[in-house]
Amino acid sequence: MSVGHKMKVDVLVLGGGLSGAAAAFEAARNGATVALAERSFMLGGAATLSLVNPWQTFHSPSGRVIGGFAQELTEKLRARGHSLGHLPDPVGFATSVTPIDPDGLRSALDEEAKERGVAVLYGHRLRDAEMVENRLRSVTLEDEHLGTICVRAPVFIDATGNGDLSNMAGCRMEIDSDCQPMTLIFTMDAVDFEAVAAYHRARPEEFYEGAAKDGPLRGGYIGVSGFFEHVRRARESGRLMVPRDRVLFFGNTRPGQVVVNATRVTGKHGASGTELSEAMREGLEQTKNLADFMTSELPGFARARVVRIADQIGVRETRRLIGRYVMDENDIHANANFDDAIAKGAFPLDIHSGADASLSYEKVSGKGRYDIPLRCLLNSEVENLLTVGKCISVTHKGFSSTRVMPTCMAVGQAGGAAAALSAKMKRDPEEIYPLIRDALRSAGAIISEEDIVNDIDALALG
Ligand SMILES: Cc1cc2nc3c(=O)[nH]c(=O)nc-3n(C[C@H](O)[C@H](O)[C@H](O)COP(=O)(O)OP(=O)(O)OC[C@H]3O[C@@H](n4cnc5c(N)ncnc54)[C@H](O)[C@@H]3O)c2cc1C
């Protein structure tokens, strides 16, 4: 590998979120030389830059469907006190939640990159893509001082979350007019968990109906979706400006702290720089308004204060690939199995409305889990480009389930194996699917029903 203004690797991964990191590490595990370019100065994407927490979900109702890198990382973080491991979801949406510490995660990902020999290019963003016929030949990256580096590779992975590289290279993409809204997440400390739980037990009708009747506090971990009446009154009187019907917050890994996922910026395009800038400013205004409301009106928050605001507003949905297969909500509810499965998902279809204050939510029918096929990572326009993470080929509604972090890591890992093997064999990933599947299985990934881990009883104990 040569480093400087030109670089040549087997696999270039663009975007260092959880899917990109998983892809880069798995490509390296399969013997590829790998560069991972990230426009910010941290790995982890939404989990670190936007403080999104907890990871949900690793589990369908009858077993764990996410293994491999995501599970190893959870165990590593847990051993260091940077994750509480898998816990039952106190909100009642998913089977499990996995709280993590964003700073612990950021360090662990960088360490992992060092151990696996992945060259991380922090502060580098996509500037140009050079196509030769229907292949990507090189990608030019620009650093924050306007220096450039041209990276050539036989295979590229787009893990930007926005599909920036796929879009630039000419893949078919779509973006919905009713994209899910953005949220600026913030952390509060000195929250009195017992007081929140006592109120929840006394007034369960003020909270999401799926929540446990004995309250939202389990073994010291809290998660709440509701305070509907408080929010309704405050919005009607004009004290609360946030266009949302509830407050949603979860504990992180620190006593007394909660991560508030409740601001809502609608009608802005996550793939437009100017609209993102406006969204960030609106998110900051909403953060102040919401935190004031919470401390002055919600039980348990009288002494709470904001201790951290995310560096970047969280963008739930932007462009998605229209790939060789477009998975939809019918596949998800039918618990689809595919001959080219590379990962599984189990999160409910969960749509934060971009038009009004509501949230729509459907549990996955039947077994509560489904396969994701390799074809959702592949396009028909650019031979040597894979797309991983939240912008894979799914519909707007299908996306509302596949977008979550455990699934993005599993999909990323699969993309990494596919890219490395495709580079080595000089074959299209679809032609070498059995090799990809075997490589993933040898890394502990969960692909078919027999791989599912039945650890639900351990989960129930918290
Ligand atoms: C507000 C909000 C709440 C959510 N709640 C949950 C939850 O509770 N649990 C859950 O599991 N999931 C949740 N999600 C979903 C989840 O966080 C994301 O869908 C997931 O993290 C996406 O991972 P990714 O790797 O595909 O993309 P990202 O995490 O977005 O990573 C993409 C990376 O690429 C980089 N990048 C982008 N463009 C370029 C470029 N042009 N050049 C170089 N680098 C680039 C970015 O800086 C970023 O680091 C939530 C998302 C949001 C926004």
Side-chain angles (χ1 to χ4, degrees):
M1 194 190 323
S2 71
V3 183
H5 298 297
K6 285 193 175 154
M7 188 186 228
K8 200 163 182 293
V9 287
D10 296 328
V11 178
L12 171 69
V13 182
L14 190 74
L18 289 172
S19 69
F25 302 157
E26 182 64 17
R29 203 185 70 84
N30 282 280
T33 54
V34 183
L36 174 59
E38 163 57 40
R39 69 181 171 192
S40 75
F41 285 86
M42 60 181 92
L43 299 180
T48 50
L49 284 164
S50 303
L51 297 180
V52 179
N53 214 346
W55 293 347
Q56 51 180 329
T57 182
F58 278 70
H59 289 87
S60 72
S62 58
R64 180 158 57 77
V65 299
I66 305 284
F69 167 70
Q71 178 63 18
E72 276 169 23
L73 181 60
T74 303
E75 284 163 15
K76 185 184 268 185
L77 292 172
R78 190 172 182 188
R80 295 174 175 187
H82 291 152
S83 171
L84 304 179
H86 307 310
L87 305 174
D89 174 12
V91 165
F93 264 36
T95 306
S96 69
V97 296
T98 311
I100 53 104
D101 178 73
D103 298 315
L105 172 65
R106 178 179 176 179
S107 299
L109 291 172
D110 188 81
E111 258 175 56
E112 186 93 20
K114 264 198 200 94
E115 281 164 19
R116 303 222 185 195
V118 170
V120 178
L121 297 166
Y122 284 122
H124 282 74
R125 61 173 63 235
L126 175 64
R127 177 163 151 181
D128 205 2
E130 181 195 6
M131 295 291 297
V132 176
E133 294 175 352
N134 55 351
R135 288 183 71 80
L136 245 180
R137 183 160 187 263
S138 69
V139 159
T140 301
L141 305 169
E142 182 176 82
D143 67 31
E144 62 169 354
H145 301 290
L146 306 182
T148 59
I149 177 165
C150 174
V151 187
R152 274 180 72 167
V155 183
F156 295 81
I157 297 180
D158 181 347
T160 59
N162 319 302
D164 278 357
L165 178 57
S166 313
N167 188 52
M168 189 180 269
C171 298
R172 283 181 70 210
M173 310 284 295
E174 68 178 346
I175 184 159
D176 267 73
S177 53
D178 58 344
C179 269
Q180 294 202 37
M182 301 182 209
T183 292
L184 184 60
I185 291 181
F186 57 93
T187 305
M188 296 181 99
D189 77 352
V191 178
D192 182 342
F193 287 0
E194 289 294 346
V196 175
Y199 184 78
H200 197 294
R201 284 192 298 272
R203 296 285 309 275
E205 69 281 7
E206 259 228 68
F207 298 90
Y208 172 64
E209 62 195 10
K213 296 294 168 236
D214 56 351
L217 187 57
R218 307 246 135 166
Y221 186 70
I222 200 163
V224 167
S225 172
F227 284 113
F228 294 118
E229 188 55 24
H230 282 75
V231 169
R232 190 186 60 75
R233 282 199 308 259
R235 289 183 68 215
E236 274 175 14
S237 69
R239 297 193 303 284
L240 183 62
M241 310 302 186
V242 179
R244 192 162 183 178
D245 64 358
R246 73 190 69 195
V247 175
L248 173 67
F249 58 83
F250 288 91
N252 54 19
T253 57
R254 301 182 190 188
Q257 288 200 359
V258 296
V259 178
V260 183
N261 174 348
T263 61
R264 175 174 280 191
V265 177
T266 56
K268 297 269 191 286
H269 200 299
S272 148
T274 47
E275 293 195 20
L276 267 178
S277 170
E278 288 164 13
M280 184 72 196
R281 300 190 73 186
E282 191 176 331
L284 284 165
E285 270 174 31
Q286 286 191 16
T287 295
K288 174 153 189 341
N289 176 234
L290 181 60
D292 286 349
F293 157 74
M294 291 174 77
T295 49
S296 55
E297 302 191 28
L298 295 190
F301 282 81
R303 301 180 54 199
R305 64 202 162 131
V306 176
V307 288
R308 191 165 175 189
I309 300 175
D311 288 4
Q312 194 173 290
I313 193 162
V315 178
R316 285 194 179 77
E317 182 175 3
T318 55
R319 291 187 205 101
R320 295 183 313 275
L321 180 71
I322 302 177
R324 295 190 197 168
Y325 186 78
V326 182
M327 199 166 82
D328 67 13
E329 55 277 19
N330 299 320
D331 292 324
I332 288 176
H333 279 313
N335 306 157
N337 292 123
F338 294 99
D339 289 343
D340 61 339
I342 44 87
K344 285 188 181 291
F347 192 66
L349 296 138
D350 167 38
I351 304 188
H352 298 246
S353 171
D356 58 33
S358 67
L359 179 76
S360 84
Y361 164 83
E362 291 168 22
K363 277 200 191 288
V364 178
S365 312
K367 293 180 192 162
R369 57 178 176 256
Y370 56 87
D371 290 353
I372 299 174
L374 176 63
R375 283 164 296 151
C376 286
L377 286 58
L378 304 175
N379 63 78
S380 304
E381 293 81 26
V382 184
E383 270 179 13
N384 57 338
L385 172 63
L386 291 95
T387 307
V388 299
K390 75 179 191 207
C391 52
I392 58 169
S393 179
V394 285
T395 59
H396 169 70
K397 195 163 176 187
F399 162 86
S400 72
S401 171
T402 60
R403 69 190 176 94
V404 288
M405 295 181 278
T407 314
C408 283
M409 283 188 269
V411 165
Q413 181 165 16
L421 293 168
S422 170
K424 188 152 119 193
M425 314 288 293
K426 298 188 173 46
R427 303 269 298 275
D428 183 274
E430 258 195 279
E431 293 165 12
I432 51 167
Y433 169 72
L435 292 179
I436 297 166
R437 181 199 54 211
D438 293 351
L440 289 170
R441 280 232 175 88
S442 75
I446 294 175
I447 295 174
S448 22
E449 291 290 296
E450 58 267 29
D451 303 329
I452 291 171
V453 179
N454 189 354
D455 60 358
I456 293 288
D457 290 345
L459 182 71
L461 296 173

